[in-house]
Amino acid sequence: MSPRLAILTGTLAGQTRAVESRPLSLGRDATCDVRFDPDADVEVSGRHAEVRVEDGASFIRDTNSTNGVYVNGTRVRVEQRLSDGDVIRLGAAGPKLRFDAGPAAKGAAPTEERIAVAVQQQTRGLRSALFVCVALAIVGGWLALRSARRADDARGAELEALRQRNDSLSAEIDRDVHAMTGRLAGLDSALASARRESDRLRAELAAARGGANVELLSAQLARAEQKRGAIVAVGRMNYEAIASANGRSVVMIAVEMADGKAYSGSGVSVSADGSIVTNAHLVRDGDGQPPRRIAVVYSDTRDWVPAHVDRVASDADLAVLRIDRSGPFPFVAEVSDRAPVVGEPVAIIGFPLGDRTRMDGSTEAITVRSTLGVGTVSKTIPGVMQIDAFASEGSSGSPVFGADGSIEGIVYGGAPDAAGRIVYAVPAAAVRALLK
């Protein structure tokens, strides 16, 4: 029977894992074979350690963890051979594991450790029940006291609450009306000015008799029309509708490279069969080699599914992944067919900081939630859209949406000294070219 790891403490206490011919990775990263709770097991690094079997011997290796790997209380510097009954600790105060070299019955843990694990397992339900009873008692007492007070002054409290609510709603409505009035007035004024400029250029173009002047006027008219379109887009930008329509099509991507390094990023599904657009630099190392493993999880779900690289763009930081399971999957159907305009508002949906941001749930029960950011197109040059927004590690591959909900670009990086506030994206034209 294969060697095994018995998990003694931590959120996975009581579980065991077999050590097969393939190295067994330990950590909090989504790609680890033994994944500890990202919120509870804080001593454990994303890729903490790796256990492997070679020529019948078992070894544990510290994979550049923050808090170290300890075997029988001694820190492992690089790699150490394991013996039956060795106690492994991930970090000085992290979870404990026992290495069993043979069948599960062999190499029982020391009595003290087995009792500790058994007590932890057997009393878990009792502790939970006790906590619930105490909480119910506190809540019951509070409700009784509150009920007694309400019996004395219920009518006065109700009237006061209604008055305060009415005053608050009135003030809120006044603020919203004032803000909306100013916003609409500004948009109307800007739109009227842009319309007058377009009409003037159109009249001059009609009166021109040809030559370079016509070419110049045509270019100016095109820019004026783009400006008008951007102003209209500001007026109809509905971030809630964009998130509702497209948020579930955004995915978090976990990548493990051949050298064991792991990264996370974002992507967007563009077809029901599981085609995902992301960045090429996320799925290629410095030598252009593909990852050892790729897994993706759709926003608002908890199931990680395997994927592979389908194709990579030759002239842009773009790649297409393909899910290794049958669909259908949620997807965004529209990729914009127009160039972005400076001043145009956009929405970015992705996973800045990866799974280090708060998610819904813990351990294997995590439901992934994406983050929506808002921004403005601040500059456009051939092949690059610059956005005044926020991005960080994990944002690579995030889709950029325009007011009509179509994809206008894919985030790939930012200015090094801008603290994440200057964001660069590959424009939609390159995305359309890759998907043809």
Side-chain angles (χ1 to χ4, degrees), residues 22-25 29-33 47 253-258 261 263 282-283 290-295 306-308:
R22 185 176 66 82
L24 186 74
S25 55
D29 190 85
T31 61
C32 288
D33 300 307
R47 303 282 297 182
I253 303 172
V255 177
E256 181 185 12
M257 291 298 180
K261 293 182 179 179
Y263 310 95
L282 186 65
V283 294
R292 179 191 298 171
R293 288 190 292 179
I294 302 175
H308 65 274

Side-chain angles (χ1 to χ4, degrees), residues 355-379:
D355 62 359
R356 284 179 290 167
T357 55
R358 297 294 298 178
M359 295 296 174
D360 186 358
S362 62
T363 319
E364 284 80 13
I366 286 178
T367 298
V368 172
R369 305 292 189 194
S370 59
T371 298
L372 181 143
V374 301
T376 305
V377 177
S378 56
K379 183 189 295 184

Side-chain angles (χ1 to χ4, degrees), residues 88-100:
I88 302 165
R89 194 153 197 171
L90 305 182
K96 283 184 179 181
L97 304 90
R98 185 185 71 249
F99 176 74
D100 293 333

Side-chain angles (χ1 to χ4, degrees), residues 289-360:
Q289 297 301 310
R292 179 191 298 171
R293 288 190 292 179
I294 302 175
V296 305
V297 58
Y298 279 78
S299 182
D300 300 335
T301 71
R302 61 181 61 175
D303 296 323
W304 288 88
V305 293
H308 65 274
V309 179
D310 184 65
R311 57 189 181 277
V312 177
S314 60
D315 56 353
D317 191 355
L318 293 174
V320 175
L321 309 183
R322 179 75 62 145
I323 293 179
D324 295 331
R325 292 184 186 173
S326 58
F329 300 98
F331 66 101
V332 179
E334 296 295 326
V335 178
S336 180
D337 59 358
R338 67 179 186 86
V341 180
V342 173
E344 179 180 345
V346 294
I348 301 174
I349 304 179
F351 298 90
L353 299 179
D355 62 359
R356 284 179 290 167
T357 55
R358 297 294 298 178
M359 295 296 174
D360 186 358

Side-chain angles (χ1 to χ4, degrees), residues 87-419:
V87 176
I88 302 165
R89 194 153 197 171
L90 305 182
K96 283 184 179 181
L97 304 90
R98 185 185 71 249
F99 176 74
D100 293 333
K106 178 184 174 184
T111 302
E112 180 181 306
E113 292 179 0
R114 288 189 285 109
I115 291 176
V117 173
V119 169
Q120 183 176 11
Q121 293 176 338
Q122 295 298 323
T123 61
R124 184 178 299 162
L126 180 60
R127 292 196 303 271
S128 299
L130 181 60
F131 174 79
V132 171
C133 290
V134 172
L136 288 175
I138 293 173
V139 172
W142 179 79
L143 288 175
L145 178 62
R146 186 174 178 85
S147 177
R149 288 183 176 179
R150 282 181 175 176
D152 294 334
D153 57 356
R155 182 175 296 277
E158 184 177 356
L159 290 175
E160 178 63 19
L162 287 172
R163 185 189 65 78
Q164 292 180 357
R165 183 183 179 193
N166 182 66
D167 291 345
S168 176
L169 287 173
S170 297
E172 184 176 346
I173 290 171
D174 288 342
R175 288 194 301 270
D176 289 347
V177 169
H178 178 75
M180 187 60 71
T181 300
R183 183 167 181 256
L184 290 176
L187 287 173
D188 287 344
S189 176
L191 186 58
S193 176
R195 186 181 294 113
R196 287 194 299 271
E197 177 69 8
S198 295
D199 292 343
R200 180 186 67 79
L201 289 169
R202 196 174 285 109
E204 290 184 13
L205 184 61
R209 298 184 178 277
N213 194 36
V214 170
E215 195 173 313
L216 176 61
L217 288 171
S218 296
Q220 291 176 344
L221 179 59
R223 286 195 293 272
E225 290 297 329
Q226 285 184 332
K227 183 177 179 180
R228 281 182 61 186
I231 294 171
V232 172
V234 171
R236 59 188 176 89
M237 192 73 176
N238 188 333
Y239 293 106
E240 181 180 356
I242 290 172
S244 177
N246 302 309
R248 295 177 68 86
S249 301
V250 179
V251 302
M252 180 188 290
I253 303 172
V255 177
E256 181 185 12
M257 291 298 180
D259 60 1
K261 293 182 179 179
Y263 310 95
S264 67
S266 306
V268 58
S269 179
V270 293
S271 68
D273 63 357
S275 291
I276 295 171
V277 176
T278 185
N279 290 143
H281 76 256
L282 186 65
V283 294
R284 286 288 186 269
D285 65 16
D287 298 324
Q289 297 301 310
R292 179 191 298 171
R293 288 190 292 179
I294 302 175
V296 305
V297 58
Y298 279 78
S299 182
D300 300 335
T301 71
R302 61 181 61 175
D303 296 323
W304 288 88
V305 293
H308 65 274
V309 179
D310 184 65
R311 57 189 181 277
V312 177
S314 60
D315 56 353
D317 191 355
L318 293 174
V320 175
L321 309 183
R322 179 75 62 145
I323 293 179
D324 295 331
R325 292 184 186 173
S326 58
F329 300 98
F331 66 101
V332 179
E334 296 295 326
V335 178
S336 180
D337 59 358
R338 67 179 186 86
V341 180
V342 173
E344 179 180 345
V346 294
I348 301 174
I349 304 179
F351 298 90
L353 299 179
D355 62 359
R356 284 179 290 167
T357 55
R358 297 294 298 178
M359 295 296 174
D360 186 358
S362 62
T363 319
E364 284 80 13
I366 286 178
T367 298
V368 172
R369 305 292 189 194
S370 59
T371 298
L372 181 143
V374 301
T376 305
V377 177
S378 56
K379 183 189 295 184
T380 60
I381 58 177
V384 178
M385 175 169 57
Q386 179 178 303
I387 305 168
D388 179 7
F390 174 79
S392 67
E393 178 186 355
S395 295
S396 292
S398 298
V400 181
F401 295 100
D404 61 355
S406 65
I407 299 172
E408 292 202 346
I410 300 294
V411 172
Y412 71 87
D417 299 324

